[in-house]
């Protein structure tokens, strides 16, 4: 991960204090109302808790915004196969069938990354990359979100580059 991203380890009990450190550091030296700070903390805590409930292990927050807004985040999760197809092409087709019709429909594709084939799901402000783990035990899912700028142009390229840097170590 680029060093501008703040890492929160969701596997340890101290993740709440790590989020508090992030919120405090982002508001330091700025005239941020206590209510806004509390709202940001609550939103991040709720996102982290929901992510943990779905198998998220890490939560990364991009810290380069000048106005204190959160330009992007990344949840790294483990998605056990269960009913999920192990073949990325079949998984992409399975996801494609579940996409609603209309303007908000996300683009589902299979891409080749250095870590292997991956299912890429691009929405207006999100990018999910599901990479099949060695041994076909699960998918490692990278869930990027960019609510302020949307997932286009430089932000999409940045998230694709991060996903493309994933490598398995033997």
């Amino acid at each position: 991960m680029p060093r501008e991203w703040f890492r929160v380890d969701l596997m340890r009990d101290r993740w709440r204090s790590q989020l508090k450190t992030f919120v405090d550091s982002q508001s330091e030296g700025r005239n941020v109302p206590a209510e806004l700070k509390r709202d940001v903390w609550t939103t991040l805590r709720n996102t982290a808790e929901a992510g943990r409930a779905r198998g998220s292990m890490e939560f990364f927050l991009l810290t380069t915004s000048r106005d204190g807004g959160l330009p992007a985040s990344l949840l790294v999760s483990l998605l056990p196969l269960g009913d999920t197809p192990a073949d990325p092409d079949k998984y992409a087709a399975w996801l494609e069938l579940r996409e609603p019709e209309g303007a908000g429909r996300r683009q589902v594709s299979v891409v080749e990354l250095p870590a292997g084939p991956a299912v890429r799901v691009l929405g207006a402000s999100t990018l999910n990359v599901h990479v099949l783990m060695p041994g076909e035990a699960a998918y490692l899912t990278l869930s990027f979100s960019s609510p302020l700028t949307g997932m286009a142009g430089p932000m999409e390229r940045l998230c694709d580059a991060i996903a493309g840097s994933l490598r398995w170590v033997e």
Side-chain angles (χ1 to χ4, degrees), residues 130-148:
H130 308 275
V131 185
L132 187 61
M133 294 180 68
E136 298 182 352
Y139 280 96
L140 184 70
T141 299
L142 308 176
S143 298
F144 296 95
S145 177
S146 182
L148 297 180

Side-chain angles (χ1 to χ4, degrees), residues 85-96 108-111 117-119 139:
D87 177 83
D89 289 313
K90 289 180 182 174
Y91 186 35
W94 185 77
L95 289 173
E96 183 75 33
V108 180
S109 60
V110 176
V111 296
V119 178
Y139 280 96

Side-chain angles (χ1 to χ4, degrees), residues 15 22 27-28 82 94 102 120 123 135 141 151 154 164:
W15 67 267
F22 174 79
S27 60
E28 188 176 315
W94 185 77
R120 183 179 187 271
T141 299
M151 194 56 67

Side-chain angles (χ1 to χ4, degrees), residues 48-90:
E49 286 176 347
R52 280 176 47 102
R54 292 187 317 272
S56 293
M57 302 173 292
E58 294 179 309
F59 189 20
F60 291 91
L61 304 159
L62 184 57
T63 61
T64 58
S65 177
R66 289 186 193 100
D67 63 0
L70 183 64
S73 66
L74 164 63
L75 277 170
V76 179
S77 307
L78 190 64
L79 176 65
L81 288 183
D83 294 334
T84 306
D87 177 83
D89 289 313
K90 289 180 182 174

Side-chain angles (χ1 to χ4, degrees), residues 16-28:
R16 283 181 181 84
S17 65
Q18 289 176 321
L19 277 180
K20 175 104 172 63
T21 298
F22 174 79
V23 172
D24 290 345
S25 71
Q26 289 301 292
S27 60
E28 188 176 315

